[in-house]
Amino acid sequence: MPKMKTTSSAKKRFKLTGTGKIKRKNAYKSHILTKMSTKRKRALGQTSLVSDGDMGNVKRMLTIGK
């Protein structure tokens, strides 16, 4: 049986934490930032966790678990 391949786009976008959660970067931080407040831009620079609803899809792309 061949090995499962990890989706290349997913391995560039997600990182696994020590407790098994998946970190992601926030969207809306690339261009047209002049109309956005400084506080909002700072908050978008932080990482977030993948929501429970998306966890199955992301794990499948990263070939974690089954």
Side-chain angles (χ1 to χ4, degrees):
M1 188 73 186
K3 291 182 179 177
M4 292 279 293
K5 284 195 173 182
T6 302
T7 309
S8 286
S9 59
K11 67 185 173 189
K12 295 170 190 171
R13 286 173 170 85
F14 301 107
K15 292 277 183 261
L16 210 60
T17 64
T19 56
K21 295 173 183 167
I22 301 173
K23 289 196 306 185
R24 65 171 177 85
K25 296 222 18 170
N26 285 312
Y28 309 113
K29 190 71 169 57
S30 57
H31 63 106
I32 315 177
L33 299 173
T34 52
K35 59 181 84 169
M36 199 181 290
S37 71
T38 310
K39 182 178 179 181
R40 182 75 184 127
K41 285 186 276 194
R42 258 199 322 272
L44 289 173
Q46 306 298 315
T47 56
S48 302
L49 294 175
V50 172
S51 65
D52 293 333
D54 296 326
M55 192 71 79
N57 289 334
V58 175
K59 281 186 175 180
R60 191 176 303 116
M61 285 191 285
L62 294 172
T63 61
I64 299 171
K66 291 186 177 180

